Amino acid sequence: MKVAVLKGGRSFEREISLLSGANVEASLRRLGHEVLPLDVDREMVRILRDESPDVAFIAMHGQGGEDGTVQELLEIIGVRYTGSGVNASSRAWDKVVAKAAFTSVGIPTPDSYAFSQAAFRELGAADALGEIETRLGLPLVVKPARGGSALGIRLAHEPADIPAALVAALAYDDRLMMERFVSGRELSVVILGNEDPEALPIVEAIPLGKEFYDFESRYTPGATELRTPADLPASVADEVVHVALDCYRALRCHGFARVDLILDRDDRPWVLELNTIPGLTDTSIAPRAAAAAGMEFDEMIERVLGYADLGG
Amino acid sequence: MRNTHSQVTHEDARRYEERFAVRARKIKASAMRDLMALAERPDVISLAGGFPDMELFPADVFQTVMDAVRAEHLTTALQYGPTEGLRELRERIVQIMAHERATATVDQIMITSGGQQGINLSVRSFVDPGEVVIAEGPTYPGAVPPFTTYEADVVHIPMDDDGMIVDELEPALERLRDEGRRVKLIYTIPNFHNPAGVTMSLERRERLIDIAHRHEIMVVEDNPYGQIRFDGEPLPSLYELDEGRGWVVYVSTFSKILAPGLRVGWVAAAPPVLRQMNLGKQSEDLCSGTLNQRFILEYLERYDWRQHVARLNEVYRTRRDALLTALEEEFPASAHWTRPRGGLFVWATLPDYIDTQDLLARAIDRNVAFVPGGAAFLDGQGKSSMRMNYSQLPPTVLTEGVRRIGEVIAETTELFEGLGGVR
């Protein structure tokens, strides 16, 4: 098969995407496919039209690649692609929309409030910060509504920290989310499939030298170690997988995705977000999860390729 | 069949990851790196660089020098050389150092592969894991990898317009001693500091040397920018003020006065220190490129390097002026910045509610970039500061770059105040 690998682009996650893309290309070549690597730019549509690949493997992270934009373009020009469709991609990309979808079907996710920059500028939303603090409690997490990396995410410990945290989040998106902080174990579930999705073994990010995963170690490079499968009682693991699969179905995801959750001190899972294009670098979670399931990287890539479709 | 590189599987990559030394695994990329990668796009006005402008190196000079190397030294220039470097070049370096008010003899000089190797060899030779290196805060971001590699525990001493605040050095040394921590090196850039842009005053230089003598701590004096001077006369180097007592390792380079692509620098130190560094250098690269050393020698034979540097300084001075003027016009009154009298960098500090890494995200949206200050600290400081380089861009472009940064600062400030933040 002739497979275009879409990677790079102009998002903040360009570097990671180039690494994911390179791994996917190498894997596709080993699998015997003809590979067309594309660091996407304004030539993308023209090149895809000229080359007419059988499938586009989307290895882009962040804005443009993970938000439904490139998916929509591929549908317009009639190129089948891997991963979720336009609707699921755009809903998962926006944490506020995804959360609403999760809540509507009873999936546990930490309470939150979302505001646009305009709400602060034009509607005096800042005057409601006191109520938000009271309802969510402190510390609270402030994050850009859209964005896949850790950039712009802050933990506000006291009321005086909040304005600067809001400013930080709004540097990356014109909408932000304030969320109740849940302390606990950081888990990820990678899911493969279309109608009848399958969860791979749960991956846990373990903070080095700390008993509990705190906010700083979650976002400090080199401070964590991944454990697969996570050491959990069977009933808890079942519940985590069940919740993750519910998320996948709630957004009508396709191909593959990664669900990030926190397991609180009472072993209750709380969903933070769902990524429709999980990282595929050498140190990423998805390849670890596949390995724990006895699945080689190439096998995972072949399966994701096999799920490719025109429109999720 | 052996795997070719493209056939290395994901499982192979993980196998390596598990085998890499713990020390090597500690050097990790950061979120800042992802942002800086975007700064390299061609449509971005980047004040984030730190390179000298190589357009200023005359093409005909390059041709003449290369011809001379080929005609007179081809065989030796292509051969291994002594680890300490070509003797004639070391003799020339003694003369160059004299212009920096640093007196050395040829047996105190070793050629290195850029000043960077001089820093690396210093840390490598003196610092055991967990021992303390004192560095200015901010410090040269390129010194961070050697510090991290040799597992140094870095303690920053703050700076003002006169360089390292030496008054704070002695209390810090006493506190560290009380805590049972051993201080091995003091790393400093006294002239036109990168990134701070300031120069250490004579009085502080004297006190720093006095403290080093009394506490018996080695000082690494990194002086890549001393010749990139727009006015005034050089102050005595720390190497000079040490008066031959051997507590100072002097590091410098041809990168800023000739060309960084040559990768030729040097260290000056007491012979026993040099012998230790020589062993380290043998392990790193046996010797620095002989061809490049020969190129520099032939250049120095034929041309007056000081005239070339004077031309560079004229251009850089105009660019610095453009940057400073633009800062006056475009940056808010609450910001402050250094006014370098040489070197390549201005360091600006904004109100502390502005995180310059987040500001960079907004700036990149407007196609302009700088280095967030956090890169110059190992302890999380510098979040509201930024480094701007002026050596690579013409004045009109610098002015436009600063105008755009000023715009995103103004937006951020307005937003912060609208959110009830107190300045």
Side-chain angles (χ1 to χ4, degrees):
Chain A
M1 235 180 344
K2 182 170 177 178
V3 186
V5 175
L6 310 187
K7 59 179 179 176
R10 284 184 59 145
S11 89
F12 289 131
E13 291 165 85
R14 171 181 170 78
E15 288 288 286
I16 302 288
S17 165
L18 291 175
L19 294 173
S20 288
N23 276 347
V24 170
E25 285 159 27
S27 171
L28 290 170
R29 287 197 183 98
R30 287 191 296 269
L31 291 162
H33 297 293
E34 184 190 343
V35 176
L36 172 69
L38 261 187
D39 183 352
V40 302
D41 58 18
R42 58 183 63 185
E43 298 292 302
M44 183 190 80
V45 169
R46 189 187 59 73
I47 294 173
L48 289 175
R49 273 217 180 96
D50 292 352
E51 297 277 343
S52 40
D54 299 301
V55 182
F57 196 111
I58 307 176
M60 295 164 70
H61 307 305
Q63 196 173 6
E66 209 167 346
D67 62 2
T69 307
V70 83
Q71 289 79 2
E72 182 124 53
L73 276 172
L74 292 167
E75 288 183 20
I76 291 167
I77 60 173
V79 174
R80 288 194 300 139
Y81 58 88
T82 57
S84 289
V86 176
N87 190 293
S89 299
S90 61
R91 291 207 295 167
W93 170 245
D94 188 322
K95 296 187 183 80
V96 180
V97 176
K99 230 177 214 287
F102 297 153
T103 309
S104 70
V105 293
I107 294 168
T109 172
D111 291 341
S112 68
Y113 293 97
F115 287 106
S116 65
Q117 189 153 320
F120 289 112
R121 277 189 200 283
E122 294 156 27
L123 302 174
D127 293 332
L129 288 174
E131 280 91 335
I132 291 170
E133 264 163 56
T134 310
R135 288 184 200 171
L136 298 179
L138 287 170
L140 63 84
V141 181
V142 182
K143 45 175 120 169
R146 294 164 292 193
S149 69
L151 292 165
I153 303 184
R154 292 282 192 285
L155 187 64
H157 292 275
E158 47 188 288
D161 297 340
I162 292 176
L166 300 177
V167 168
L170 290 172
Y172 302 90
D173 190 11
D174 56 16
R175 224 145 43 90
L176 59 77
M177 185 163 80
M178 282 174 274
E179 189 180 59
R180 182 169 69 82
F181 176 63
V182 180
S183 154
R185 295 166 70 180
E186 175 108 337
L187 307 176
S188 291
V189 184
V190 174
I191 298 172
L192 287 176
N194 287 347
E195 280 71 36
D196 195 14
E198 169 200 350
L200 301 180
I202 301 167
V203 180
E204 179 173 11
I206 313 263
L208 296 175
K210 281 187 182 165
E211 193 184 343
F212 267 98
Y213 211 90
D214 68 6
F215 187 81
E216 279 70 28
S217 55
R218 188 184 308 160
Y219 296 114
T220 307
T224 59
E225 192 175 84
L226 298 180
R227 184 173 296 165
T228 21
D231 183 15
L232 299 169
S235 61
V236 175
D238 284 350
E239 174 64 9
V240 168
V241 164
H242 176 75
V243 165
L245 286 169
D246 279 351
C247 293
Y248 196 82
R249 292 192 194 99
L251 296 182
R252 296 201 194 92
C253 291
H254 207 87
F256 70 152
R258 191 190 77 229
V259 179
D260 294 339
L261 316 90
I262 296 280
L263 191 66
D264 73 14
R265 285 159 202 250
D266 301 322
D267 281 347
R268 277 178 309 191
W270 298 89
V271 174
L272 295 182
E273 60 179 287
L274 179 149
N275 294 279
T276 51
I277 306 182
L280 297 168
T281 73
D282 294 339
T283 51
S284 294
I285 289 169
R288 296 281 173 109
M295 192 189 297
E296 296 261 322
F297 185 73
D298 291 357
E299 189 185 341
M300 176 171 70
I301 295 301
E302 184 76 344
R303 278 182 65 176
V304 171
L305 192 67
Y307 297 130
D309 205 342
L310 193 60
Chain B
M1 197 182 79
R2 282 178 67 83
N3 274 357
T4 62
H5 182 68
S6 69
Q7 287 170 318
V8 171
T9 64
H10 194 87
E11 283 69 28
D12 289 337
R14 190 163 63 244
R15 192 183 58 193
Y16 298 136
E17 179 73 15
E18 285 162 5
R19 279 164 176 73
F20 287 142
V22 174
R23 183 181 71 244
R25 275 186 277 162
K26 281 188 183 165
I27 308 168
K28 289 277 182 183
S30 64
M32 196 185 299
R33 192 173 157 270
D34 297 337
L35 281 176
M36 296 315 295
L38 292 175
E40 286 160 21
R41 290 193 326 236
D43 47 351
V44 171
I45 297 178
S46 181
L47 281 65
F51 295 176
D53 188 345
M54 278 304 108
E55 305 260 333
L56 302 173
F57 194 89
D60 58 324
V61 170
F62 179 84
Q63 186 65 51
T64 307
V65 174
M66 282 310 250
D67 287 349
V69 172
R70 193 190 53 196
E72 296 161 37
H73 302 282
L74 189 57
T75 317
T76 51
L78 294 176
Q79 190 52 274
Y80 290 111
T83 302
E84 65 276 16
L86 299 179
R87 186 171 177 93
E88 302 105 289
L89 184 57
R90 289 158 59 219
E91 284 164 357
R92 287 286 192 166
I93 286 169
V94 169
Q95 296 163 13
I96 292 173
M97 283 179 65
H99 291 289
E100 286 289 341
R101 301 190 63 181
T103 310
T105 56
V106 70
D107 62 338
Q108 292 168 348
I109 309 277
M110 179 170 79
I111 306 285
T112 55
S113 298
Q116 186 71 25
Q117 189 177 43
I119 302 170
N120 198 62
L121 288 172
S122 303
V123 184
R124 177 190 175 117
S125 302
F126 284 103
V127 182
D128 278 318
E131 292 183 331
V132 175
V133 171
I134 300 273
E136 283 132 344
T139 191
Y140 166 49
V144 173
F147 294 156
T148 315
T149 299
Y150 298 108
E151 300 173 61
D153 192 357
V154 175
V155 173
H156 292 289
I157 302 291
M159 308 180 79
D160 61 18
D161 284 346
D162 289 325
M164 183 196 289
I165 303 176
V166 176
D167 268 349
E168 300 199 16
L169 176 59
E170 197 145 32
L173 292 176
E174 276 157 16
R175 177 174 54 79
L176 289 163
R177 191 190 51 208
D178 293 347
E179 289 168 5
R181 293 155 79 189
R182 189 166 186 208
V183 179
K184 275 297 194 61
L185 285 184
I186 300 170
Y187 171 76
T188 175
I189 304 177
N191 294 322
F192 317 126
H193 190 272
N194 174 7
V198 298
T199 293
M200 193 187 290
S201 68
L202 176 58
E203 188 251 331
R204 287 194 183 168
R205 288 172 194 236
E206 286 166 345
R207 295 198 38 218
L208 175 60
I209 288 299
D210 174 55
I211 291 169
H213 285 170
R214 282 190 287 109
H215 290 259
E216 304 195 328
I217 299 170
M218 294 299 299
V219 176
V220 176
E221 176 180 29
D222 188 8
N223 186 27
Y225 309 107
Q227 296 288 341
I228 308 300
R229 165 184 301 281
F230 309 141
D231 55 58
E233 291 301 316
L235 294 171
S237 63
L238 299 172
Y239 196 74
E240 188 80 5
L241 295 170
D242 179 53
E243 293 175 338
R245 292 172 64 180
W247 290 102
V248 178
V249 175
Y250 180 95
V251 178
S252 192
T253 177
F254 287 102
S255 293
K256 309 302 180 295
I257 58 177
L258 283 185
L262 295 166
R263 306 310 305 129
V264 177
W266 69 89
V267 293
V273 173
L274 225 47
R275 277 196 290 278
Q276 183 60 42
M277 288 191 169
N278 190 302
L279 293 173
K281 181 164 169 70
Q282 287 175 38
S283 138
E284 286 177 17
D285 60 3
L286 285 180
C287 67
S288 295
T290 320
L291 177 60
N292 297 358
Q293 293 180 58
R294 183 53 70 181
F295 178 94
I296 293 171
L297 256 175
E298 294 305 312
Y299 174 88
L300 295 173
E301 298 266 316
R302 282 166 181 73
Y303 299 95
D304 181 351
W305 66 273
R306 299 195 74 197
Q307 261 180 28
H308 175 62
V309 168
R311 270 197 307 277
L312 295 182
N313 288 347
E314 228 168 89
V315 175
Y316 293 161
R317 183 197 289 116
T318 315
R319 293 175 180 179
R320 174 207 60 178
D321 291 346
L323 184 69
L324 291 178
T325 307
L327 287 170
E328 292 291 348
E329 283 164 14
E330 306 290 348
F331 269 40
S334 51
H336 54 95
W337 56 88
T338 53
R339 289 166 180 78
R341 299 173 70 181
L344 309 179
F345 304 104
V346 169
W347 178 256
T349 301
L350 304 174
D352 58 10
Y353 59 84
I354 298 181
D355 181 313
T356 47
Q357 182 170 298
D358 302 325
L359 191 76
L360 177 60
R362 285 180 189 270
I364 284 172
D365 252 1
R366 308 286 167 84
N367 286 334
V368 63
F370 51 82
V371 177
F377 287 88
L378 284 102
D379 62 0
Q381 294 184 72
K383 287 202 163 113
S384 296
S385 297
M386 57 167 79
R387 187 189 80 175
M388 286 170 283
N389 164 262
Y390 48 77
S391 56
Q392 274 175 296
L393 296 172
T396 50
V397 180
L398 285 168
T399 304
E400 173 60 17
V402 173
R403 192 189 65 74
R404 294 182 195 177
I405 300 172
E407 237 171 50
V408 294
I409 295 173
E411 262 175 38
T412 304
T413 302
E414 187 196 333
L415 188 59
F416 178 75
E417 287 172 351
L419 292 169
V422 182
R423 290 166 70 178

